[in-house]
Amino acid sequence: MPKKTLSTKEKLLAAATELFIQKGFDRVGVREIAAKAGINLSLMNYYFQSKERLLEHIFEKIIISKATHLKQILDSNISLEDKIKKYTTEYIDVLIDNPLIVSFFLAILHRNPEKIVAMASIRTLYNSEVFCKQLEDEMKAGRIRQVDPEQVFICIVSLVIFPFAIKDLIMDRNNFSSSEFNKFSQQRKEVVSQMVLNFIGLK
Amino acid sequence: MPKKTLSTKEKLLAAATELFIQKGFDRVGVREIAAKAGINLSLMNYYFQSKERLLEHIFEKIIISKATHLKQILDSNISLEDKIKKYTTEYIDVLIDNPLIVSFFLAILHRNPEKIVAMASIRTLYNSEVFCKQLEDEMKAGRIRQVDPEQVFICIVSLVIFPFAIKDLIMDRNNFSSSEFNKFSQQRKEVVSQMVLNFIGLK
DNA sequence: TTTTGTTTTAAACCTTAGTTTTAAAAATTG
DNA sequence: CAATTTTTAAAACTAAGGTTTAAAACAAAA
């Protein structure tokens, strides 16, 4: 375990990240962050220049850490069927481990759409050219039916991500415990890939 | 046009509703609301007791006004195929007209899950017993294949709602204008119902 | 018209939030 | 050791946010 002593900056980032994700940016105070990190208040503006810039730092870090691997799957050189299965499966795994990042991401997106959309990491990671091209190739080759690649991609992310945005609602509706919700999410891996593969005419 | 003169309360509600939906509850100040409504600041606490209670009022009103009709479709006595088509179609129409209520709803849900989940109107409207029962009946009768009704329902709402939560991202990715996004949403009506009907084995 | 109750107003109040400052103490580095 | 960087505590500042007060304006009832 190489993380016995966290640097001040790391403690600060860890505390702020957790609080932002849990409570939402606007509902976390700087004094609360400093207290949780066990550091002095002034250090927040010493390392980052403002609460807003701290958020930008954290937001980008989260996106990159979670989405890079998923993007690689999308861009990889494997069959369409395997790709769809792998992508949905591993995406759901990420969200089971971090269900709250969905609400966090959507809140920040709603808060400042232009800025988020302009971010380099977003433009790089939230992009599916390779995947869409692959769909078009399969269509031309007559191996799948005619579909709009963008629609297919939006379907996949909708099916994967949205349930985590309404996790509390789903849990309440079905009297799910947290682990039962996770079981439900595990089952979704199969549901989602089946549904998408069916739709494009594979299987 | 019977709404020439709005009462103070109505002006207040209209202004607050628009601002809350546009900017998010935490990013709207009471003075901004009063200014937009063209009323005195104190009247906000005169009619409602606090900003928080104003939110509750507005939130419930929005949910009821938008979701009641959709719930009726879900509970109606029509064929499964027609029901799925009608529900997705009219749901998408509602969201094309009010794309921002998605982010608004999700933000409030994230902000206070327990409270939202406990709301009577939510419990009533976000419930699909009739629909799930209908699915089970069709399964027993062998007219559709074996599926988990809850999974199917979650798939439908995910496919319908989520694209509006990431509207800005989708528009940016595809260089969509707002009206092009609406065209994309119109096309989704067919995509979503096809995908769901395919999955359960109808069509 | 006077009375009564409601609606509206202007102003101030109080708290919190983010940020900055200062001056000193620790820790680190060369 | 000297020099630099990091950390601390405390206070102060500024702005904004939600809330309250007390009086004025208004409308309806007597």
Side-chain angles (χ1 to χ4, degrees), chain A residues 21-22 26-27 103 105-106 109-111 113 117 123 126-128 150-151 153-155 158-159 161-163 165-166 168-170 172-174 184 187-188 191 194-195 199, chain B residues 21-22 26-27 103 105-106 109-111 113 117 123 126-128 150-151 153-155 158-159 161-163 165-166 168-170 172-174 184 187-188 191 195 199:
Chain A
I21 289 179
Q22 247 169 30
D26 290 315
R27 297 177 72 76
S103 305
F105 178 88
L106 294 177
L109 177 63
H110 183 220
R111 197 186 131 86
V117 148
R123 303 189 76 84
Y126 185 67
N127 161 311
S128 55
E150 180 70 10
Q151 291 281 8
F153 182 69
I154 297 299
C155 284
S158 298
L159 290 166
I161 301 173
F162 190 66
I166 55 166
D168 296 284
L169 240 37
I170 295 177
D172 180 71
R173 269 168 67 93
N174 301 282
F184 180 78
Q187 287 161 206
R188 272 192 85 69
V191 171
Q194 274 307 316
M195 186 174 269
F199 179 70
Chain B
I21 288 179
Q22 247 171 28
D26 289 316
R27 297 177 73 75
S103 304
F105 178 86
L106 294 177
L109 177 63
H110 183 221
R111 199 186 130 86
V117 148
R123 304 189 77 84
Y126 185 67
N127 162 310
S128 55
E150 179 70 9
Q151 292 280 9
F153 182 70
I154 297 299
C155 285
S158 298
L159 290 166
I161 301 173
F162 190 67
I166 56 166
D168 296 284
L169 240 37
I170 294 177
D172 180 71
R173 268 167 68 95
N174 301 281
F184 181 77
Q187 287 163 205
R188 272 192 84 69
V191 170
M195 187 173 266
F199 180 70

Coordinates of all heavy atoms in Angstrom, one line a residue, chain A residues 21-22 26-27 103 105-106 109-111 113 117 123 126-128 150-151 153-155 158-159 161-163 165-166 168-170 172-174 184 187-188 191 194-195 199, chain B residues 21-22 26-27 103 105-106 109-111 113 117 123 126-128 150-151 153-155 158-159 161-163 165-166 168-170 172-174 184 187-188 191 195 199:
Chain A
I21 N -19.1 14.9 -4.9 CA -19.9 13.8 -5.5 C -21.1 13.5 -4.6 O -22.2 13.2 -5.1 CB -19.0 12.6 -5.7 CG1 -18.0 12.8 -6.9 CG2 -19.8 11.3 -6.0 CD1 -17.1 11.7 -7.2
Q22 N -20.9 13.5 -3.3 CA -22.0 13.1 -2.4 C -23.1 14.2 -2.4 O -24.2 13.9 -2.5 CB -21.4 13.0 -1.0 CG -21.5 11.5 -0.5 CD -20.6 11.4 0.8 OE1 -20.5 12.4 1.5 NE2 -20.1 10.3 1.0
D26 N -22.6 22.9 -5.2 CA -23.1 24.1 -4.5 C -23.5 23.9 -3.1 O -23.8 24.9 -2.4 CB -24.3 24.6 -5.3 CG -24.0 25.1 -6.7 OD1 -23.0 25.9 -6.7 OD2 -24.6 24.8 -7.7
R27 N -23.5 22.7 -2.6 CA -24.0 22.4 -1.3 C -22.8 22.0 -0.4 O -23.0 21.5 0.7 CB -25.1 21.4 -1.3 CG -26.3 21.8 -2.0 CD -27.4 20.8 -2.1 NE -28.1 20.5 -0.8 CZ -29.0 21.4 -0.3 NH1 -29.3 22.5 -0.9 NH2 -29.6 21.1 0.8
S103 N -24.9 11.4 -11.2 CA -25.6 12.7 -10.8 C -24.6 13.8 -10.8 O -24.9 14.9 -11.2 CB -26.2 12.5 -9.4 OG -27.0 11.4 -9.4
F105 N -21.9 14.2 -12.6 CA -21.6 14.6 -14.0 C -22.7 15.4 -14.6 O -22.5 16.5 -15.1 CB -21.3 13.4 -14.8 CG -21.0 13.7 -16.3 CD1 -19.8 14.1 -16.7 CD2 -22.1 13.7 -17.2 CE1 -19.5 14.4 -18.0 CE2 -21.8 14.0 -18.5 CZ -20.6 14.4 -18.9
L106 N -23.9 14.9 -14.4 CA -25.1 15.6 -15.0 C -25.3 17.0 -14.4 O -25.7 17.9 -15.1 CB -26.3 14.7 -14.8 CG -26.3 13.4 -15.6 CD1 -27.6 12.6 -15.3 CD2 -26.2 13.6 -17.1
L109 N -22.7 19.3 -15.8 CA -23.1 19.5 -17.3 C -24.2 20.5 -17.3 O -24.2 21.5 -18.1 CB -23.5 18.2 -17.9 CG -24.0 18.3 -19.4 CD1 -22.9 18.8 -20.3 CD2 -24.5 17.0 -19.9
H110 N -25.2 20.4 -16.5 CA -26.4 21.3 -16.5 C -25.9 22.7 -16.0 O -26.4 23.7 -16.5 CB -27.5 20.8 -15.5 CG -28.7 21.6 -15.5 ND1 -29.4 21.9 -14.4 CD2 -29.4 22.2 -16.5 CE1 -30.4 22.6 -14.6 NE2 -30.4 22.9 -15.9
R111 N -25.0 22.7 -15.1 CA -24.5 24.0 -14.5 C -23.8 24.8 -15.5 O -23.9 26.1 -15.5 CB -23.5 23.5 -13.4 CG -23.2 24.5 -12.4 CD -22.1 23.9 -11.5 NE -21.0 24.8 -11.4 CZ -20.9 25.8 -10.5 NH1 -21.9 25.9 -9.6 NH2 -19.9 26.6 -10.4
P113 N -23.0 24.0 -19.4 CA -22.9 23.2 -20.6 C -21.8 23.6 -21.5 O -21.0 22.8 -22.0 CB -24.2 23.4 -21.3 CG -25.1 24.0 -20.3 CD -24.3 24.6 -19.3
V117 N -18.7 21.1 -22.5 CA -18.7 20.6 -23.9 C -17.4 21.0 -24.6 O -16.9 20.4 -25.5 CB -19.9 21.2 -24.6 CG1 -19.6 21.5 -26.1 CG2 -21.1 20.3 -24.5
R123 N -14.2 16.2 -25.2 CA -14.3 16.0 -26.6 C -13.6 14.7 -27.1 O -13.9 14.1 -28.1 CB -13.7 17.2 -27.3 CG -14.3 18.5 -26.9 CD -13.9 19.7 -27.8 NE -14.5 19.6 -29.1 CZ -15.7 20.1 -29.4 NH1 -16.4 20.7 -28.4 NH2 -16.2 20.0 -30.6
Y126 N -15.7 11.5 -25.0 CA -17.1 11.3 -25.3 C -17.2 11.5 -26.8 O -17.7 12.5 -27.3 CB -18.0 12.3 -24.6 CG -19.4 12.1 -24.8 CD1 -20.1 10.9 -24.3 CD2 -20.2 13.0 -25.6 CE1 -21.4 10.7 -24.6 CE2 -21.5 12.8 -25.8 CZ -22.1 11.6 -25.3 OH -23.5 11.4 -25.5
N127 N -16.8 10.5 -27.5 CA -16.7 10.5 -29.0 C -16.6 9.1 -29.4 O -16.0 8.2 -28.8 CB -15.4 11.2 -29.3 CG -14.9 11.0 -30.7 OD1 -14.8 9.8 -31.2 ND2 -14.5 12.0 -31.4
S128 N -17.3 8.8 -30.5 CA -17.4 7.3 -30.9 C -17.3 7.2 -32.4 O -17.9 6.3 -33.0 CB -18.8 6.8 -30.4 OG -19.8 7.6 -31.0
E150 N -25.5 6.9 -34.6 CA -25.6 7.8 -33.5 C -26.7 7.4 -32.6 O -26.6 7.4 -31.3 CB -25.8 9.3 -34.0 CG -25.9 10.3 -32.9 CD -24.6 10.6 -32.1 OE1 -23.6 10.1 -32.5 OE2 -24.7 11.2 -31.0
Q151 N -27.8 7.0 -33.2 CA -29.0 6.6 -32.4 C -28.6 5.3 -31.6 O -28.9 5.2 -30.4 CB -30.2 6.2 -33.3 CG -30.8 7.4 -33.9 CD -31.8 8.2 -33.0 OE1 -31.9 7.9 -31.8 NE2 -32.5 9.2 -33.6
F153 N -25.6 4.4 -30.6 CA -24.7 4.8 -29.5 C -25.4 5.4 -28.3 O -25.2 5.1 -27.1 CB -23.6 5.7 -30.0 CG -22.6 6.1 -28.9 CD1 -21.7 5.1 -28.4 CD2 -22.5 7.3 -28.4 CE1 -20.8 5.4 -27.4 CE2 -21.6 7.7 -27.4 CZ -20.7 6.7 -26.9
I154 N -26.3 6.4 -28.6 CA -27.1 7.0 -27.6 C -28.0 6.0 -26.8 O -28.1 6.1 -25.6 CB -28.0 8.1 -28.2 CG1 -27.1 9.2 -28.8 CG2 -28.9 8.8 -27.1 CD1 -26.2 9.9 -27.9
C155 N -28.5 5.0 -27.5 CA -29.2 4.0 -26.9 C -28.4 3.2 -25.8 O -28.8 3.0 -24.7 CB -29.8 3.0 -27.9 SG -31.2 3.6 -28.8
S158 N -27.6 5.4 -22.8 CA -28.9 5.7 -22.1 C -29.2 4.5 -21.2 O -29.5 4.6 -20.0 CB -30.0 6.0 -23.0 OG -29.8 7.1 -23.8
L159 N -29.2 3.3 -21.8 CA -29.5 2.1 -21.1 C -28.6 1.8 -20.0 O -28.9 1.3 -18.9 CB -29.6 0.9 -22.1 CG -30.7 0.9 -23.1 CD1 -30.5 -0.1 -24.2 CD2 -32.0 0.6 -22.4
I161 N -26.4 4.1 -18.4 CA -26.1 5.2 -17.4 C -27.4 5.5 -16.6 O -27.4 5.7 -15.4 CB -25.6 6.4 -18.1 CG1 -24.2 6.1 -18.8 CG2 -25.3 7.5 -17.1 CD1 -23.7 7.2 -19.6
F162 N -28.5 5.7 -17.3 CA -29.7 6.3 -16.7 C -30.2 5.7 -15.4 O -30.5 6.4 -14.4 CB -30.8 6.5 -17.7 CG -32.0 7.3 -17.2 CD1 -31.8 8.7 -16.9 CD2 -33.2 6.7 -16.9 CE1 -32.8 9.5 -16.4 CE2 -34.2 7.5 -16.4 CZ -34.0 8.9 -16.1
P163 N -30.2 4.3 -15.4 CA -30.7 3.7 -14.1 C -29.9 4.2 -12.9 O -30.5 4.3 -11.8 CB -30.4 2.2 -14.4 CG -30.5 2.1 -15.9 CD -29.9 3.3 -16.4
A165 N -28.8 7.2 -12.5 CA -29.3 8.5 -12.2 C -30.5 8.5 -11.3 O -30.8 9.4 -10.6 CB -29.5 9.3 -13.4
I166 N -31.3 7.4 -11.5 CA -32.5 7.3 -10.7 C -32.5 6.1 -9.8 O -33.5 5.5 -9.4 CB -33.8 7.2 -11.6 CG1 -33.6 6.0 -12.6 CG2 -34.0 8.5 -12.4 CD1 -34.9 5.6 -13.3
D168 N -32.2 5.9 -6.6 CA -33.0 5.9 -5.4 C -34.5 5.6 -5.7 O -35.1 4.9 -4.9 CB -32.9 7.3 -4.8 CG -31.5 7.7 -4.3 OD1 -31.1 7.1 -3.2 OD2 -30.8 8.4 -5.0
L169 N -34.9 6.1 -6.8 CA -36.3 5.8 -7.3 C -36.5 4.3 -7.5 O -37.5 3.7 -7.1 CB -36.6 6.6 -8.6 CG -37.7 7.6 -8.6 CD1 -37.8 8.3 -7.3 CD2 -37.5 8.6 -9.7
I170 N -35.5 3.7 -8.2 CA -35.6 2.3 -8.5 C -35.6 1.4 -7.2 O -36.4 0.5 -7.0 CB -34.5 1.8 -9.4 CG1 -34.6 2.5 -10.8 CG2 -34.5 0.3 -9.6 CD1 -33.5 2.2 -11.8
D172 N -36.5 2.3 -4.3 CA -37.7 2.5 -3.5 C -38.9 1.7 -4.1 O -39.6 1.0 -3.4 CB -38.1 4.0 -3.5 CG -39.3 4.3 -2.7 OD1 -39.3 4.1 -1.5 OD2 -40.4 4.6 -3.3
R173 N -39.0 1.8 -5.4 CA -40.1 1.1 -6.2 C -40.1 -0.4 -5.9 O -41.1 -1.0 -5.8 CB -39.8 1.2 -7.7 CG -40.4 2.4 -8.4 CD -39.8 2.5 -9.8 NE -40.1 1.4 -10.6 CZ -41.1 1.3 -11.5 NH1 -41.9 2.4 -11.5 NH2 -41.4 0.3 -12.2
N174 N -38.9 -0.9 -5.8 CA -38.8 -2.4 -5.7 C -38.3 -2.9 -4.3 O -38.1 -4.0 -4.1 CB -37.8 -2.9 -6.7 CG -38.2 -2.5 -8.2 OD1 -39.1 -3.1 -8.7 ND2 -37.6 -1.5 -8.7
F184 N -29.5 -6.2 -9.6 CA -30.3 -5.7 -10.7 C -29.4 -5.1 -11.8 O -29.6 -5.4 -13.0 CB -31.2 -4.6 -10.2 CG -32.2 -4.1 -11.2 CD1 -33.3 -4.7 -11.7 CD2 -31.9 -2.8 -11.7 CE1 -34.1 -4.2 -12.6 CE2 -32.8 -2.2 -12.7 CZ -33.9 -2.9 -13.2
Q187 N -27.7 -7.9 -13.8 CA -28.6 -8.5 -14.7 C -28.8 -7.6 -16.0 O -29.0 -8.1 -17.1 CB -30.0 -8.7 -14.1 CG -30.0 -9.9 -13.1 CD -31.2 -9.9 -12.2 OE1 -31.1 -10.4 -11.1 NE2 -32.3 -9.2 -12.6
R188 N -28.6 -6.3 -15.7 CA -28.8 -5.4 -16.9 C -27.7 -5.6 -17.9 O -27.9 -5.3 -19.1 CB -28.7 -3.9 -16.4 CG -30.1 -3.4 -16.0 CD -30.1 -1.9 -15.8 NE -30.3 -1.2 -17.0 CZ -31.4 -1.1 -17.7 NH1 -32.4 -1.8 -17.3 NH2 -31.5 -0.4 -18.8
V191 N -29.3 -7.8 -20.3 CA -30.5 -7.1 -20.9 C -30.0 -6.1 -21.9 O -30.5 -6.1 -23.1 CB -31.3 -6.4 -19.8 CG1 -32.4 -5.6 -20.4 CG2 -31.9 -7.5 -18.8
Q194 N -28.2 -7.6 -25.1 CA -29.2 -8.3 -25.9 C -30.1 -7.4 -26.6 O -30.4 -7.5 -27.8 CB -30.1 -9.2 -24.9 CG -29.6 -10.6 -24.6 CD -29.2 -11.3 -25.9 OE1 -30.0 -11.3 -26.9 NE2 -28.1 -12.0 -25.9
M195 N -30.6 -6.4 -26.0 CA -31.5 -5.4 -26.6 C -30.8 -4.7 -27.7 O -31.4 -4.5 -28.8 CB -32.0 -4.4 -25.5 CG -33.0 -3.4 -26.0 SD -33.6 -2.4 -24.7 CE -35.0 -3.4 -24.1
F199 N -31.5 -5.3 -31.8 CA -31.9 -4.1 -32.6 C -31.2 -4.0 -33.9 O -31.7 -3.7 -34.9 CB -31.8 -2.8 -31.8 CG -32.2 -1.6 -32.5 CD1 -33.6 -1.4 -32.8 CD2 -31.3 -0.7 -32.9 CE1 -34.0 -0.3 -33.5 CE2 -31.7 0.5 -33.6 CZ -33.1 0.7 -33.9
Chain B
I21 N -35.8 25.8 -13.3 CA -35.6 24.9 -14.3 C -34.4 25.3 -15.2 O -33.6 24.4 -15.5 CB -36.8 24.8 -15.2 CG1 -37.9 24.0 -14.4 CG2 -36.5 24.0 -16.5 CD1 -39.2 23.9 -15.2
Q22 N -34.2 26.5 -15.4 CA -33.1 27.0 -16.2 C -31.8 26.9 -15.6 O -30.8 26.4 -16.1 CB -33.4 28.4 -16.6 CG -33.6 28.7 -18.1 CD -34.0 30.1 -18.3 OE1 -33.7 31.0 -17.6 NE2 -34.8 30.3 -19.4
D26 N -30.2 25.9 -6.6 CA -29.1 26.5 -5.8 C -28.5 27.7 -6.4 O -27.8 28.5 -5.8 CB -28.1 25.5 -5.4 CG -28.6 24.5 -4.4 OD1 -29.2 24.9 -3.5 OD2 -28.3 23.3 -4.6
R27 N -28.7 27.9 -7.7 CA -28.1 29.0 -8.4 C -29.0 30.1 -8.7 O -28.7 31.0 -9.5 CB -27.4 28.5 -9.7 CG -26.3 27.5 -9.3 CD -25.6 26.9 -10.5 NE -24.8 27.8 -11.3 CZ -23.5 28.2 -10.9 NH1 -23.0 27.7 -9.7 NH2 -22.8 29.0 -11.6
S103 N -33.1 17.7 -16.4 CA -32.0 18.0 -15.5 C -32.5 18.6 -14.1 O -32.0 18.3 -13.1 CB -31.1 19.1 -16.1 OG -30.6 18.7 -17.3
F105 N -35.3 17.8 -12.6 CA -35.8 16.6 -11.8 C -34.7 15.9 -11.2 O -34.6 15.6 -10.0 CB -36.7 15.7 -12.7 CG -37.2 14.5 -12.0 CD1 -38.3 14.5 -11.2 CD2 -36.4 13.3 -12.0 CE1 -38.8 13.4 -10.5 CE2 -36.8 12.2 -11.3 CZ -38.0 12.3 -10.6
L106 N -33.7 15.6 -12.0 CA -32.5 14.8 -11.5 C -31.8 15.5 -10.5 O -31.3 14.9 -9.5 CB -31.6 14.4 -12.7 CG -32.2 13.4 -13.7 CD1 -31.2 13.2 -14.9 CD2 -32.6 12.1 -13.1
L109 N -33.7 15.3 -7.3 CA -33.7 13.9 -6.8 C -32.3 13.7 -6.1 O -32.3 13.1 -5.0 CB -33.9 12.9 -8.0 CG -33.8 11.5 -7.6 CD1 -34.9 11.0 -6.6 CD2 -33.8 10.6 -8.8
H110 N -31.3 14.2 -6.7 CA -30.0 14.0 -6.1 C -29.8 14.7 -4.8 O -29.2 14.3 -3.9 CB -28.9 14.4 -7.1 CG -27.5 14.2 -6.7 ND1 -26.5 15.1 -6.9 CD2 -26.9 13.2 -6.0 CE1 -25.4 14.7 -6.3 NE2 -25.6 13.5 -5.8
R111 N -30.4 15.9 -4.8 CA -30.4 16.8 -3.7 C -31.0 16.2 -2.4 O -30.5 16.4 -1.3 CB -31.1 18.1 -4.1 CG -30.8 19.3 -3.3 CD -31.8 20.3 -3.9 NE -32.5 21.0 -2.8 CZ -32.0 22.0 -2.1 NH1 -30.9 22.5 -2.5 NH2 -32.7 22.5 -1.1
P113 N -32.9 12.7 -2.0 CA -33.6 11.5 -2.5 C -34.7 11.0 -1.6 O -35.8 10.7 -2.1 CB -32.5 10.5 -2.5 CG -31.2 11.2 -2.3 CD -31.5 12.6 -1.8
V117 N -38.6 10.6 -2.9 CA -39.1 9.2 -3.0 C -40.3 9.1 -2.1 O -41.2 8.2 -2.4 CB -37.9 8.3 -2.6 CG1 -38.5 7.1 -1.9 CG2 -37.1 7.9 -3.8
R123 N -44.8 8.7 -5.8 CA -45.2 7.3 -5.6 C -46.3 6.9 -6.5 O -46.4 5.7 -6.9 CB -45.5 7.0 -4.1 CG -44.4 7.4 -3.1 CD -44.7 6.9 -1.7 NE -44.5 5.5 -1.6 CZ -43.3 5.0 -1.4 NH1 -42.3 5.7 -1.2 NH2 -43.2 3.7 -1.3
Y126 N -44.9 7.6 -10.5 CA -43.7 6.8 -11.0 C -43.9 5.4 -10.5 O -43.3 4.9 -9.5 CB -42.4 7.4 -10.4 CG -41.2 6.7 -10.9 CD1 -40.9 6.7 -12.3 CD2 -40.4 5.9 -10.1 CE1 -39.8 6.1 -12.8 CE2 -39.3 5.3 -10.6 CZ -39.0 5.3 -11.9 OH -37.9 4.6 -12.4
N127 N -44.8 4.7 -11.1 CA -45.3 3.4 -10.7 C -45.8 2.7 -11.9 O -46.6 3.4 -12.7 CB -46.3 3.6 -9.6 CG -47.2 2.4 -9.4 OD1 -47.7 1.8 -10.3 ND2 -47.3 2.1 -8.1
S128 N -45.5 1.5 -12.1 CA -46.0 0.9 -13.4 C -46.6 -0.5 -13.1 O -46.3 -1.4 -13.9 CB -44.8 0.8 -14.3 OG -43.7 0.1 -13.6
E150 N -39.7 -5.2 -14.8 CA -39.0 -4.0 -14.2 C -37.9 -3.6 -15.2 O -37.7 -2.4 -15.4 CB -38.5 -4.3 -12.8 CG -37.7 -3.1 -12.2 CD -38.7 -1.9 -11.8 OE1 -39.9 -2.1 -11.9 OE2 -38.1 -0.9 -11.4
Q151 N -37.1 -4.6 -15.6 CA -36.0 -4.2 -16.6 C -36.6 -3.6 -17.8 O -36.0 -2.6 -18.3 CB -35.2 -5.5 -16.9 CG -34.4 -6.1 -15.8 CD -33.1 -5.4 -15.6 OE1 -32.8 -4.4 -16.1 NE2 -32.3 -6.0 -14.7
F153 N -39.3 -1.9 -18.2 CA -39.8 -0.5 -17.9 C -38.6 0.5 -17.8 O -38.6 1.6 -18.3 CB -40.6 -0.5 -16.6 CG -41.2 0.9 -16.3 CD1 -42.2 1.5 -17.1 CD2 -40.7 1.6 -15.2 CE1 -42.7 2.7 -16.9 CE2 -41.2 2.9 -15.0 CZ -42.2 3.4 -15.8
I154 N -37.6 0.0 -17.1 CA -36.4 0.9 -16.9 C -35.8 1.2 -18.2 O -35.3 2.3 -18.5 CB -35.4 0.3 -15.9 CG1 -36.0 0.1 -14.5 CG2 -34.1 1.1 -15.8 CD1 -36.4 1.4 -13.9
C155 N -35.7 0.2 -19.1 CA -35.2 0.4 -20.4 C -36.0 1.5 -21.2 O -35.4 2.4 -21.8 CB -35.2 -0.9 -21.2 SG -34.0 -2.1 -20.7
S158 N -35.2 4.9 -19.7 CA -33.9 5.3 -20.0 C -33.7 5.8 -21.4 O -33.1 6.8 -21.6 CB -32.9 4.1 -19.7 OG -33.0 3.7 -18.4
L159 N -34.2 5.0 -22.3 CA -34.1 5.4 -23.7 C -34.8 6.7 -24.0 O -34.4 7.5 -24.9 CB -34.7 4.2 -24.6 CG -33.9 2.9 -24.6 CD1 -34.7 1.8 -25.2 CD2 -32.6 3.1 -25.4
I161 N -35.7 9.2 -21.7 CA -35.4 10.4 -20.9 C -33.9 10.8 -21.1 O -33.6 12.0 -21.3 CB -35.7 10.2 -19.5 CG1 -37.2 9.8 -19.3 CG2 -35.3 11.4 -18.6 CD1 -37.6 9.4 -17.9
F162 N -33.0 9.8 -21.0 CA -31.6 10.2 -20.9 C -31.0 11.1 -22.0 O -30.3 12.0 -21.6 CB -30.7 8.9 -20.8 CG -29.3 9.2 -20.4 CD1 -29.0 9.7 -19.2 CD2 -28.3 9.0 -21.3 CE1 -27.7 10.0 -18.8 CE2 -27.0 9.3 -21.0 CZ -26.7 9.8 -19.7
P163 N -31.4 10.9 -23.2 CA -30.8 11.8 -24.2 C -31.1 13.3 -23.9 O -30.3 14.2 -24.3 CB -31.6 11.4 -25.5 CG -31.9 10.0 -25.3 CD -32.2 9.9 -23.8
A165 N -31.1 14.6 -21.0 CA -30.2 14.9 -19.9 C -28.8 15.3 -20.4 O -28.0 16.1 -19.8 CB -30.0 13.8 -18.9
I166 N -28.5 14.8 -21.6 CA -27.2 15.1 -22.2 C -27.4 15.8 -23.5 O -26.5 15.7 -24.4 CB -26.3 13.8 -22.4 CG1 -27.0 12.8 -23.2 CG2 -25.9 13.2 -21.1 CD1 -26.1 11.6 -23.7
D168 N -27.0 18.8 -24.5 CA -25.9 19.7 -24.9 C -24.7 18.9 -25.5 O -24.1 19.3 -26.5 CB -25.4 20.5 -23.8 CG -26.4 21.5 -23.2 OD1 -26.7 22.5 -23.9 OD2 -27.0 21.2 -22.2
L169 N -24.4 17.8 -24.9 CA -23.4 16.9 -25.4 C -23.7 16.4 -26.8 O -22.9 16.4 -27.7 CB -23.2 15.7 -24.4 CG -21.8 15.6 -23.7 CD1 -21.2 16.9 -23.4 CD2 -22.0 14.7 -22.5
I170 N -24.9 15.9 -26.9 CA -25.3 15.3 -28.2 C -25.3 16.4 -29.3 O -24.8 16.2 -30.4 CB -26.8 14.7 -28.1 CG1 -26.8 13.5 -27.2 CG2 -27.3 14.3 -29.5 CD1 -28.1 12.9 -26.9
D172 N -23.5 19.1 -29.4 CA -22.1 19.4 -29.8 C -21.4 18.3 -30.6 O -20.8 18.6 -31.6 CB -21.3 19.6 -28.5 CG -19.9 20.0 -28.7 OD1 -19.7 21.1 -29.2 OD2 -19.0 19.1 -28.5
R173 N -21.6 17.1 -30.2 CA -21.0 16.0 -31.0 C -21.4 16.0 -32.4 O -20.6 15.6 -33.3 CB -21.6 14.6 -30.4 CG -20.8 14.0 -29.4 CD -21.7 12.9 -28.8 NE -22.0 11.8 -29.7 CZ -21.3 10.7 -29.7 NH1 -20.2 10.5 -28.9 NH2 -21.5 9.7 -30.6
N174 N -22.7 16.3 -32.7 CA -23.2 16.2 -34.1 C -23.4 17.5 -34.8 O -24.0 17.6 -35.8 CB -24.5 15.4 -34.0 CG -24.4 14.0 -33.4 OD1 -23.9 13.1 -34.1 ND2 -24.7 13.9 -32.2
F184 N -33.9 14.7 -34.4 CA -33.2 13.5 -33.8 C -34.2 12.9 -32.8 O -34.3 11.6 -32.8 CB -31.9 13.9 -33.2 CG -31.1 12.8 -32.6 CD1 -30.4 11.9 -33.4 CD2 -31.1 12.6 -31.2 CE1 -29.7 10.8 -32.9 CE2 -30.4 11.5 -30.7 CZ -29.7 10.6 -31.5
Q187 N -37.1 11.1 -34.4 CA -36.6 9.8 -35.0 C -36.5 8.8 -33.9 O -36.7 7.6 -34.1 CB -35.3 10.0 -35.7 CG -35.4 10.7 -37.0 CD -34.1 11.2 -37.6 OE1 -34.0 12.1 -38.3 NE2 -33.0 10.6 -37.1
R188 N -36.2 9.2 -32.7 CA -36.0 8.3 -31.6 C -37.3 7.6 -31.2 O -37.3 6.5 -30.7 CB -35.5 9.0 -30.3 CG -34.0 9.1 -30.3 CD -33.5 9.5 -28.9 NE -33.4 8.4 -28.0 CZ -32.5 7.4 -28.1 NH1 -31.7 7.4 -29.1 NH2 -32.5 6.5 -27.1
V191 N -37.1 4.5 -33.1 CA -36.0 3.7 -32.6 C -36.3 3.0 -31.3 O -36.1 1.8 -31.1 CB -34.7 4.6 -32.5 CG1 -33.6 3.8 -31.8 CG2 -34.3 5.1 -33.8
M195 N -36.9 -0.9 -30.7 CA -35.9 -1.6 -29.8 C -36.6 -2.4 -28.7 O -36.3 -3.6 -28.5 CB -34.9 -0.6 -29.3 CG -33.8 -1.2 -28.5 SD -32.6 0.0 -28.1 CE -31.4 0.0 -29.4
F199 N -37.1 -6.5 -28.4 CA -36.6 -7.2 -27.3 C -37.6 -8.1 -26.6 O -37.2 -9.2 -26.2 CB -36.1 -6.1 -26.2 CG -35.5 -6.7 -25.0 CD1 -34.3 -7.4 -25.1 CD2 -36.2 -6.7 -23.8 CE1 -33.7 -8.0 -23.9 CE2 -35.6 -7.3 -22.6 CZ -34.4 -7.9 -22.7

